[in-house]
Amino acid sequence: MTVHQTQFDRQAHHYAAVKARLMGEPKRVMIRVDMTYAAPIKPARLKASTRDQQNEFIKHRCQQLRVCCKTITAERLSPRVKTIRDQILMEVKERWPNAHARRLGELFNRKANSIRDVLASLKPKSPARPITPEAVETMRRLRSEGMNFAKIGEAVGITPNAVRYHLHKRGEA
């Protein structure tokens, strides 16, 4: 057996172990038993902790994307590595929806607020509803009657800032 084959076998074994941990397969634990008790023994099933699973998942994804795990936790990142980090972060959040930003910050060497900002920026935005001409006319009429922006917003179903924007945009505020 050559050195290359031995290294390949080790990598294949490591890949199988990582895959087993990610899929939640049980770990086997060897227990010493006094043979005076002849009861059959079942192997204990231990599940890896969520933190370990998340770490292994991140390492596995980094290997797949050909990026060093230490690279995605560095202070200054290239745009390519930022994109990869954000992709992995979203995958972790999808896989473990209850993962707190503080914990994810520990994984990615970031503060919880920056993790929250990244997650918020990656969420799909709800499409803006266009304001109809009838709604603008209603806003004009209510404003001419002396109503404030908050009350007009409640009547039309939009925020006071949106009312202010649309009336200013048309020069009627």
Side-chain angles (χ1 to χ4, degrees):
M1 187 177 275
T2 66
V3 175
H4 180 69
Q5 287 174 332
T6 307
Q7 186 178 13
F8 179 77
D9 290 343
R10 242 187 280 133
Q11 287 174 345
H13 177 72
H14 176 73
Y15 176 77
V18 168
K19 184 178 175 187
R21 272 186 245 136
L22 288 175
M23 296 303 174
E25 293 179 15
K27 291 183 181 178
R28 301 220 179 255
V29 177
M30 299 300 292
I31 303 172
R32 286 192 177 190
V33 178
D34 185 9
M35 293 311 285
T36 56
Y37 307 108
I41 299 172
K42 293 180 184 176
R45 289 183 64 151
L46 295 178
K47 198 158 190 171
S49 71
T50 305
R51 177 174 286 195
D52 295 338
Q53 288 176 346
Q54 290 169 349
N55 284 333
E56 290 298 325
F57 179 78
I58 291 170
K59 288 178 187 174
H60 181 69
R61 287 298 289 145
C62 285
Q63 285 177 349
Q64 285 179 335
L65 298 170
R66 292 185 168 82
V67 175
C68 177
C69 285
K70 291 182 182 176
T71 306
I72 65 169
T73 61
E75 287 298 319
R76 295 181 182 205
L77 302 174
S78 68
R80 176 182 166 268
V81 175
K82 275 186 185 176
T83 306
I84 291 172
R85 182 202 60 201
D86 294 347
Q87 176 186 350
I88 293 173
L89 179 61
M90 285 304 290
E91 289 174 6
V92 168
K93 191 62 178 171
E94 286 172 6
R95 193 166 180 142
W96 292 278
N98 296 333
H100 296 288
R102 194 171 113 221
R103 169 68 189 124
L104 294 175
E106 291 170 8
L107 288 172
F108 288 95
N109 195 24
R110 295 281 181 267
K111 292 183 179 176
N113 286 342
S114 70
I115 296 294
R116 284 187 200 102
D117 293 344
V118 168
L119 290 172
S121 71
L122 295 175
K123 277 186 185 174
K125 306 279 190 269
S126 61
R129 294 177 302 164
I131 302 295
T132 62
E134 294 82 23
V136 173
E137 190 57 42
T138 305
M139 288 189 274
R140 272 191 214 144
R141 185 177 46 79
L142 293 175
R143 186 65 179 163
S144 66
E145 292 174 6
M147 240 187 216
N148 63 18
F149 293 127
K151 300 241 187 212
I152 296 172
E154 284 178 23
V156 178
I158 58 176
T159 66
N161 285 336
V163 173
R164 185 177 294 114
Y165 169 78
H166 286 287
L167 292 178
H168 276 289
K169 182 173 143 184
R170 290 167 175 82
E172 294 143 12

